[in-house]
Amino acid sequence: SDTINRVRFEPSGLTFNKKASLYMSYANCSPISVLIPHRVAWVDSSLSLLDILPSLDDLLNQTVRGKLEHFSDYVVAW
């Protein structure tokens, strides 16, 4: 439970041979947020932004897909 949509994969920093896809829902977000493009963001443990990942926003299903190269903390950003 939190005020953000966040996922934490451990062990942090574990890398993939090929990029993996992460799908995150934003269906629980404010209805006004639907008007703004969503992205998957890589953040540190204090939620400071480290990078915005190449992302695809699916408005119909209210999900956003990002391509991951490693385990870490990720959030839905808009």
Side-chain angles (χ1 to χ4, degrees):
S1 64
D2 207 334
T3 58
I4 59 170
N5 290 2
R6 177 182 185 175
V7 63
R8 177 180 295 159
F9 293 118
E10 293 183 351
S12 185
L14 178 70
T15 59
F16 306 115
N17 288 333
K18 293 172 39 176
K19 288 186 180 182
S21 292
L22 170 65
Y23 292 82
M24 297 183 73
S25 172
Y26 54 86
N28 64 319
C29 294
S30 164
I32 194 74
S33 78
V34 174
L35 303 174
I36 303 166
H38 296 79
R39 302 286 180 256
V40 176
W42 170 30
V43 296
D44 64 17
S45 59
S46 63
L47 298 177
S48 295
L49 180 65
L50 300 173
D51 197 10
I52 299 290
L53 305 180
S55 304
L56 181 61
D57 192 356
D58 180 350
L59 292 172
L60 183 62
N61 292 307
Q62 294 183 313
T63 59
V64 61
R65 177 182 58 142
K67 293 290 193 167
L68 311 183
E69 295 181 6
H70 53 81
F71 278 7
S72 197
D73 290 12
Y74 300 95
V75 297
V76 174
W78 47 284

